[in-house]
Amino acid sequence: MPSLMIIYNLILVLCFLIGLPIIVPLVLSTPKWRRIVRQRLAYWKYPWESDGMAAQLRSLWIHALSVGEVNAVKPLIEKLRGQRRFDRIVVSCTTLTGFKTARE
């Protein structure tokens, strides 16, 4: 059984190394992905945050896959905002339409 895991992991690494030169230019050349690639890599911050301030904030992260899940967590987010238990509530989404709905 351990030998199958080694073979499986080697195949995954090989697929990753072969696919990486194909995927990176594809992602960077697609307007949909280019807009959100910095956010997906967590290479951004809110304009009002300083470098030391982010570590002190009480944050809650909610991940919603698509528009339906964003709409489903809206009442939860509104209730949590009313309680003021968190300094910020971060919503992440997988789809672009879900991201647009969350921003609104």
Side-chain angles (χ1 to χ4, degrees), residues 43-96:
Y43 187 71
W44 63 282
K45 62 182 178 181
Y46 293 106
W48 63 84
E49 289 180 3
S50 64
D51 292 331
M53 182 182 160
Q56 298 173 358
L57 293 175
R58 293 173 299 160
S59 303
L60 175 67
W61 178 16
I62 299 174
H63 179 70
L65 186 66
S66 61
V67 176
E69 291 182 8
V70 170
N71 290 332
V73 298
K74 248 184 228 182
L76 172 67
I77 293 171
E78 290 170 3
K79 182 129 180 140
L80 290 170
R81 275 187 181 163
Q83 293 177 353
R84 301 203 182 275
R85 293 177 60 196
F86 299 99
D87 296 321
R88 67 177 176 183
I89 298 174
V90 179
V91 180
S92 62
C93 301
T94 304
T95 64
L96 186 60

